[in-house]
Amino acid sequence: IKLVIYGMEPPDSSVQSPDFVSLELTVENVEKALQQLYYDPDMEHKNVAQKWLTQAQTSRQAWQFCWPLLSPDKLPEIQFFGASTLHTKISCHWADLPTDQHQTLRMQLLSHISHFSSGPKMVLTRLCVALASLALHTMPQGWPQAVADMVRVYQPEKEEVNAHAHCLALLELLTVLPEEFQSCRLPQARRAQLREALAGEWTAVCPLLRQLLQRQEGNSQVKERALRCLSSWVGLDVPLHGESEGLLQDCFAALSDPELFDTAVETIVSSISQPDCQRYTDALVNLMPLVLGLHDQLKAAARDGDMETSHGICRIAVALGETHSRTLLEQVEHWQGYLALVKMILFCTGIPGHYPVNETTSSLTLTFWYTLQDDILSFEEDKQVVYLQVYRPVYFQLVDVLLHKAHFPSEQDYTSWSSDDKEQFRIYRVDISDTLMYVYEILGAELLSNLYDRLGRLLMDTERPTAWQDTEALLFGFQAIAETIDVNYSDVIPGLIGLIPRISISNIQLADTVMYTIGSLAEWLADHPMMLGNVLPMVLQGLVKAELSVSSVSTLKRICRECRHDLAPYIHDIMTVSQDVLVKDIHKSSQCMWLMQGLGFLLSALPMEEILGSLTTLLTPHIQRLDTLAHQEPSPTAKLSIIHILGMLSSLFTTLDISRQDEGSEGTTPAQARPNPVVVVLQQVFTLIQTILSKWLSDSEVVEAVCGVFERSVKTLLNDFAPMVQQLSEMLGQIYSAFPQASALDLTRQMVHIFAGEKDHFSPIQALIELVTSTTLSIFQQGPREHPDIVESFMQLHAQVCLIFIVRFSVSEITFWINIWVLSLKFPETPTTKSACMFFMELVCHCGDIPPIGQVLQRDGKLLVHTVLEIVGSQSLCCLTEHFSEVLFCLNRHCPVLLAQWLKEGLRVPGFPSAQVSMEQKDTFSQQLLREQTNKRRVKEIVKEFSLLCRGMQGTTGYSADY
């Protein structure tokens, strides 16, 4: 289709693509490259053309060849490239253009915008952006009244043939000017200067926009562009009083035009959402009647199911009420107006229909209620009392509205919802839950009493049937508050615990909420353990149902964590039901992990002599299953089962911690004299794990699961893991030397962290470090690029080793690590680079107190700094620049004299680290960097700006003149 429209013939695929690298920069060759970019089916040819065109745009010849590309006889895409090239040159290479040519360039652009006012639109927009960029470079000195001049040049006259087109072109130009200002990167001082200059030009824009919006005969397209233009300018903090206030009233008038409604809403919301508007209190007060005047239209839209209209009006009401809540609250003489606005927003919150199927408006209002309560509670106590008298009744109404909106639809309707609708509804209920928490700040304990009374009436009135949704919503309200508010002193919770067993659970949604409500009260139950018997049987009943998997397992886990010391009467039931559901595979893998964590908490509270027996009973079926799998031939099914069982062991050992039990016990055998139950189990299964590894050693996921079991155990047991250090070190060495994997290095790092400083364990740890180091070296020699995860873990390991053994490092060892670090820097993966930088900074911090480090830095530091500069200047992704800036900051703090010397030597090389930067700009960068020895954030900004400059992505004028 494009070929037919533009008349450009696709290239003959049999013809060899031209070698653009050797082509001269001419208009004809640019057109050939564009043809190849747009229409050559070969992606390699497209990429070659793209690269050549990008280089062409940055060349000095681009100032000349861009104009012929804008010739009327050229195709639109060629004209578009010419306009884009102009913008690139003006925005990024302004310093290339002599000052005496600025006026000529401005006039050429004005002329071409006039010519393209009738289209194509994409070309017109790029030319407008180019002129906007030129204005930002020259305002206010070089072009004192830029905007007024634009308006004067393109001011539409009715008798003109192209009046309509010129009017649209002017609006396009006025719209992109603030947008270009907001998007371009500028030094802070220059940005402030330009913002002030543009704000001063508002007096030329505002009357024009009012004139266009008030035209009776004006078409909708012009008015829509005028509204968009206003949206663009309000971001510059233009004043809201005087004629601007009248302009905003014109926007409200535009809401009556269906064609302009959406754009008018966007413009009004943008205008009144600016925080700077708070300076214009009178204007905000005057806006309230305009917003309240939309209430009838809002009610009609809600009644008729007009979601777009209700959505738009709600956005306006919320923008005014939320952004300026405190300001309007302080206008006590207008309290009735603001109260009416609050009630209008309350209507929006309770708009009929189920979110998100029947309405999408109510969610817009939820943050308003937080803002209002936060502002009310921020007043002095005497003012608070007055405001609470007015707004507490509104918040009680809000509770009713929120609980109604949280209602599930009928089961028939809910079944028909898509999975996406159900997920949005779930998130919506979470937002309602958060809002109820804020409501509690206003209503306090009275809110819980209100919910309890309503729930009690529902459950005790057996004569009147009630929908399960009513019960579920009230429980949901309790849960929302109990999750985040301390309800330990509430006098209604005992009654709630008594009511919960009376609930007739008829469906999954209600059952889930019952479970979550019990879970939210786990801390309260820990202080009132006598009430556990009321609710724990319900949780165990839910545990055996797969459809209640998430809610029942998470609730039991919370109870085991918070109430573990009071669960002795129930431990048999908990263990029996848990063992049964685990053996029967009722729950998915993730819930099994949660359940094992809960059982770990539970077992931790048992007497020492009982833990091992309970642990053995719990784990025996799974160990037997693991033994069977270990002797089977490898298969995908067996692999998943092995990883699942090892994951359960990891989860259990994460929370099974008897250390606190040892701390609180008196007159008992110290922990060192009796083996930790986890260690006993690990020793029993160690041979089995070795058998698994013998068949699955090359599978990284299985090895990771094995290492996970030991890593979790080491983290939890700490020194109690000591009896296994020797055999685990040997096994780790065997794993890594056979098939190097990152998970083995991560486990080694944990071992080093805990046991390397222990005299009894120094020897096996040292042997393990030497083994993994020599094995990793062979990987580096073969090419480490294929194993970024290993390099990352290896650098993290040796950063840990460095902390412990750094004083023992020799010059040759430090040299070795520096070379490894330089190699690791050039990895494109962020985690790998970050680990390498952390390791190097750890070394640099000791350059003054450990002579070998200082010697190596003096000798090889130049190479290091030049490598960092090379990456920052040519290869670095933006996300990696931050880590390199931290390296330079660290060097500047610990060896500033050397860094200054290395920077001077490196940056004096022509074209290094990029041909895009001049010697003056490199000197500026060096000076700025060396000045900052305490402000890390500023160093990050400096390095980031320099990196952008090196890649031609930063305006050179702003950088060299103001930085």
Side-chain angles (χ1 to χ4, degrees):
I1 296 174
K2 288 174 99 177
L3 299 179
V4 173
I5 292 174
Y6 296 139
M8 180 178 280
E9 292 295 327
D12 186 349
S13 58
S14 63
V15 178
Q16 183 66 34
S17 173
D19 181 10
F20 283 105
V21 176
S22 59
L23 284 183
E24 183 183 355
L25 276 172
T26 64
V27 174
E28 181 183 4
N29 288 334
V30 169
E31 292 188 41
K32 288 181 180 178
L34 286 169
Q35 185 183 40
Q36 180 165 311
L37 175 65
Y38 285 123
Y39 302 113
D40 195 314
D42 190 317
M43 283 305 300
E44 187 175 343
H45 290 174
K46 287 178 179 289
N47 292 336
V48 170
Q50 173 73 43
K51 185 176 180 180
W52 187 85
L53 288 167
T54 302
Q55 293 172 345
Q57 283 188 317
T58 61
S59 69
R60 288 185 177 273
Q61 297 96 308
W63 289 109
Q64 285 75 45
F65 73 63
C66 61
W67 297 109
L69 297 177
L70 289 165
S71 175
D73 61 336
K74 300 297 183 185
L75 295 172
E77 58 251 270
I78 294 176
Q79 294 171 335
F80 177 78
F81 181 78
S84 296
T85 300
L86 263 175
H87 175 242
T88 299
K89 297 304 294 181
I90 293 171
S91 61
C92 298
H93 304 275
W94 180 251
D96 295 347
L97 191 69
T99 306
D100 59 2
Q101 294 183 25
H102 291 178
Q103 176 73 14
T104 304
L105 177 60
R106 183 206 309 174
M107 299 309 296
Q108 285 178 294
L109 278 169
L110 288 168
S111 173
H112 277 75
I113 288 173
S114 179
H115 172 76
F116 282 98
S117 60
S118 299
K121 175 67 164 54
M122 63 179 183
V123 181
L124 172 64
T125 299
R126 295 315 295 170
L127 288 172
C128 289
V129 173
L131 183 58
S133 183
L134 183 148
L136 295 177
H137 276 294
T138 55
M139 292 174 67
Q141 293 86 0
W143 196 358
Q145 295 181 315
V147 176
D149 289 347
M150 295 175 191
V151 173
R152 186 166 51 254
V153 169
Y154 298 114
Q155 180 71 50
E157 299 293 341
K158 290 184 179 180
E159 60 272 13
E160 286 185 18
V161 176
N162 294 325
H164 177 69
H166 281 179
C167 181
L168 292 177
L170 174 59
L171 289 172
E172 182 72 13
L173 181 55
L174 294 178
T175 301
V176 301
L177 178 58
E179 292 173 351
E180 180 72 2
F181 168 75
Q182 300 286 12
S183 63
C184 68
R185 302 179 62 86
L186 292 166
Q188 188 173 358
R190 176 63 176 157
R191 180 170 291 278
Q193 182 189 35
L194 275 177
R195 181 182 290 275
E196 182 180 358
L198 287 170
E201 298 272 16
W202 174 242
T203 53
V205 179
C206 185
L208 171 67
L209 298 182
R210 290 212 69 185
Q211 174 191 345
L212 295 175
L213 287 174
Q214 291 176 353
R215 277 185 180 175
Q216 297 300 319
E217 74 284 359
N219 68 26
S220 296
Q221 186 182 18
V222 170
K223 291 185 176 181
E224 182 182 12
R225 296 286 181 86
L227 290 168
R228 293 188 186 280
C229 184
L230 173 56
S231 292
S232 181
W233 276 84
V234 294
L236 299 177
D237 300 331
V238 296
L240 194 60
H241 60 71
E243 194 165 13
S244 299
E245 187 178 346
L247 178 58
L248 200 51
Q249 292 172 357
D250 295 336
C251 295
F252 274 89
L255 290 170
S256 60
D257 186 340
E259 293 185 25
L260 298 176
F261 181 83
D262 291 340
T263 308
V265 168
E266 292 293 339
T267 302
I268 294 170
V269 170
S270 298
S271 300
I272 61 182
S273 296
Q274 300 299 321
D276 192 60
C277 292
Q278 294 176 0
R279 294 187 295 161
Y280 311 106
T281 306
D282 291 342
L284 293 174
V285 171
N286 293 337
L287 282 176
M288 279 201 294
L290 294 174
V291 177
L292 293 173
L294 301 172
H295 203 166
D296 289 340
Q297 187 180 356
L298 171 65
K299 290 179 180 178
R303 183 183 62 247
D304 299 338
D306 184 351
M307 293 174 61
E308 292 184 3
T309 300
S310 59
H311 197 84
I313 295 175
C314 176
R315 288 185 61 199
I316 293 172
V318 170
L320 180 61
E322 183 176 339
T323 309
H324 308 292
S325 172
R326 187 178 182 90
T327 302
L328 294 174
L329 281 169
E330 289 174 338
Q331 311 311 307
V332 291
E333 65 275 17
H334 299 284
W335 69 272
Q336 290 176 313
Y338 188 58
L339 178 60
L341 179 63
V342 171
K343 289 184 177 180
M344 181 177 176
I345 296 173
L346 179 63
F347 176 84
C348 295
T349 305
I351 203 161
H354 276 103
Y355 181 94
V357 175
N358 309 117
E359 63 91 8
T360 57
T361 299
S362 58
S363 61
L364 301 174
T365 67
L366 299 182
T367 54
F368 163 76
W369 299 109
Y370 163 75
T371 303
L372 180 59
Q373 68 87 22
D374 194 49
D375 286 335
I376 290 174
L377 297 179
S378 68
F379 284 110
E380 298 80 6
E381 189 171 348
D382 57 336
K383 290 185 178 180
Q384 269 190 45
V385 173
V386 176
Y387 286 120
L388 288 174
Q389 286 178 343
V390 174
Y391 289 102
R392 272 174 63 88
V394 177
Y395 271 88
F396 272 115
Q397 295 176 48
L398 175 64
V399 173
D400 294 339
V401 169
L402 291 175
L403 293 181
H404 180 72
K405 295 299 292 184
H407 270 55
F408 278 92
S410 68
E411 294 188 50
Q412 181 179 359
D413 288 344
Y414 191 67
T415 303
S416 68
W417 284 15
S418 68
S419 57
D420 185 55
D421 288 337
K422 291 178 180 178
E423 175 61 13
Q424 286 190 55
F425 183 60
R426 184 193 68 79
I427 296 171
Y428 176 66
R429 280 169 53 98
V430 171
D431 293 338
I432 289 178
S433 173
D434 293 341
T435 307
L436 286 169
M437 178 184 68
Y438 306 138
V439 172
Y440 183 86
E441 298 295 328
I442 290 282
L443 302 181
E446 196 174 345
L447 171 57
L448 289 176
S449 298
N450 178 282
L451 294 175
Y452 173 69
D453 291 342
R454 293 170 62 180
L455 182 62
R457 288 194 297 271
L458 274 178
L459 297 178
M460 303 303 289
D461 188 354
T462 56
E463 295 182 2
R464 191 189 331 174
T466 58
W468 66 265
Q469 287 94 336
D470 296 331
T471 304
E472 192 278 336
L474 289 169
L475 282 176
F476 172 76
F478 267 113
Q479 177 214 340
I481 297 166
E483 284 287 3
T484 50
I485 304 297
D486 184 3
V487 295
N488 281 358
Y489 302 102
S490 171
D491 56 0
V492 305
I493 302 301
L496 174 63
I497 295 292
L499 285 175
I500 286 177
R502 301 178 64 91
I503 297 174
S504 176
I505 299 178
S506 56
N507 70 0
I508 295 173
Q509 287 81 23
L510 177 58
D512 270 334
T513 302
V514 169
M515 291 297 157
Y516 287 129
T517 303
I518 295 172
S520 69
L521 298 173
E523 292 185 26
W524 186 91
L525 289 168
D527 292 333
H528 304 83
M530 72 291 297
M531 305 297 287
L532 279 166
N534 288 44
V535 293
L536 194 54
M538 297 183 71
V539 177
L540 295 180
Q541 289 171 17
L543 197 64
V544 301
K545 299 177 181 178
E547 61 271 20
L548 300 180
S549 181
V550 175
S551 59
S552 61
V553 171
S554 63
T555 296
L556 181 61
K557 177 185 171 182
R558 293 179 72 170
I559 291 175
C560 289
R561 183 182 64 209
E562 302 297 337
C563 310
R564 53 185 152 182
H565 297 295
D566 302 296
L567 290 174
Y570 316 102
I571 190 168
H572 178 266
D573 292 341
I574 295 174
M575 292 296 292
T576 300
V577 174
S578 298
Q579 289 167 4
D580 187 54
V581 299
L582 288 170
V583 170
K584 291 180 179 179
D585 288 331
I586 289 177
H587 302 296
K588 293 181 179 179
S589 183
S590 57
Q591 279 73 57
C592 291
M593 306 307 156
W594 294 357
L595 182 55
M596 292 299 272
Q597 289 175 11
L599 297 178
F601 288 123
L602 181 65
L603 294 175
S604 298
L606 287 178
M608 275 294 296
E609 58 273 13
E610 297 181 18
I611 293 179
L612 186 58
S614 299
L615 201 55
T616 302
T617 303
L618 173 64
L619 293 180
T620 295
H622 308 291
I623 300 300
Q624 290 174 346
R625 172 67 177 152
L626 193 62
D627 184 59
T628 302
L629 292 166
H631 291 87
Q632 291 179 0
E633 288 301 313
S635 69
T637 304
K639 173 182 172 178
L640 289 176
S641 298
I642 289 172
I643 291 175
H644 173 73
I645 295 172
L646 292 174
M648 289 201 299
L649 293 177
S650 298
S651 299
L652 179 65
F653 297 157
T654 299
T655 56
L656 208 170
D657 183 6
I658 63 171
S659 59
R660 294 181 182 178
Q661 197 178 92
D662 290 333
E663 292 170 6
S665 61
E666 295 181 8
T668 60
T669 307
Q672 291 82 354
R674 60 176 182 262
N676 188 292
V678 173
V679 172
V680 173
V681 172
L682 287 174
Q683 288 174 330
Q684 290 173 350
V685 301
F686 196 82
T687 303
L688 174 57
I689 288 177
Q690 288 180 312
T691 303
I692 292 172
L693 287 173
S694 66
K695 291 188 175 182
W696 294 92
L697 190 56
S698 60
D699 191 298
S700 61
E701 294 178 272
V702 174
V703 173
E704 184 176 353
V706 168
C707 291
V709 172
F710 291 103
E711 187 173 1
R712 301 283 182 85
S713 303
V714 170
K715 286 181 177 180
T716 304
L717 302 184
L718 301 177
N719 289 325
D720 282 358
F721 191 82
M724 296 204 66
V725 171
Q726 178 72 42
Q727 59 187 141
L728 180 57
S729 297
E730 293 174 358
M731 187 182 80
L732 271 177
Q734 294 167 2
I735 291 175
Y736 194 75
S737 58
F739 284 94
Q741 296 182 32
S743 55
L745 290 174
D746 296 334
L747 177 54
T748 301
R749 178 161 53 89
Q750 289 297 326
M751 299 274 284
V752 169
H753 176 62
I754 296 171
F755 296 109
E758 300 287 335
K759 182 178 178 181
D760 295 340
H761 306 297
F762 178 79
S763 179
I765 295 295
Q766 183 182 33
L768 176 60
I769 293 171
E770 292 174 354
L771 180 58
V772 298
T773 300
S774 62
T775 303
T776 307
L777 282 181
S778 64
I779 295 176
F780 273 84
Q781 292 168 356
Q782 296 167 9
R785 293 262 181 182
E786 300 298 321
H787 307 280
D789 56 334
I790 291 179
V791 176
E792 176 192 347
S793 295
F794 185 67
M795 299 307 293
Q796 291 176 347
L797 166 63
H798 279 279
Q800 186 69 51
V801 171
C802 187
L803 288 171
I804 300 171
F805 298 107
I806 192 167
V807 295
R808 305 182 186 184
F809 282 4
S810 65
V811 170
S812 60
E813 288 173 325
I814 294 171
T815 301
F816 163 75
W817 289 120
I818 293 291
N819 291 332
I820 294 293
W821 178 76
V822 171
L823 181 61
S824 304
L825 277 187
K826 297 187 178 182
F827 276 65
E829 292 80 11
T830 300
T832 304
T833 303
K834 181 179 179 181
S835 299
C837 290
M838 288 174 58
F839 169 69
F840 178 69
M841 287 187 288
E842 192 63 47
L843 281 179
V844 172
C845 289
H846 296 280
C847 66
D849 53 331
I850 300 179
I853 296 179
Q855 294 174 30
V856 174
L857 273 182
Q858 285 189 342
R859 188 189 67 201
D860 298 336
K862 179 180 176 181
L863 169 64
L864 304 176
V865 171
H866 288 195
T867 302
V868 170
L869 291 175
E870 177 188 358
I871 299 172
V872 166
S874 59
Q875 303 172 14
S876 173
L877 299 174
C878 291
C879 57
L880 299 180
T881 304
E882 180 176 330
H883 304 305
F884 297 127
S885 68
E886 291 183 359
V887 170
L888 293 172
F889 178 75
C890 184
L891 285 167
N892 199 26
R893 289 197 66 179
H894 295 282
C895 42
V897 176
L898 289 173
L899 177 61
Q901 176 186 336
W902 298 329
L903 286 173
K904 183 178 180 181
E905 293 176 2
L907 296 176
R908 126 184 353 159
V909 177
F912 179 85
S914 167
Q916 300 273 4
V917 287
S918 65
M919 290 302 298
E920 180 185 358
Q921 292 159 350
K922 290 192 281 188
D923 288 342
T924 301
F925 165 70
S926 179
Q927 293 166 13
Q928 293 171 341
L929 183 64
L930 293 171
R931 275 200 303 265
E932 300 294 341
Q933 293 189 348
T934 57
N935 191 338
K936 185 186 292 188
R937 181 188 60 81
R938 176 63 182 137
V939 170
K940 290 179 180 179
E941 292 175 357
I942 292 168
V943 175
K944 183 178 180 179
E945 291 290 340
F946 184 68
S947 178
L948 291 171
L949 182 63
C950 288
R951 286 175 282 164
M953 299 172 65
Q954 169 67 49
T956 56
T957 302
Y959 189 92
S960 61
D962 295 281
Y963 263 75

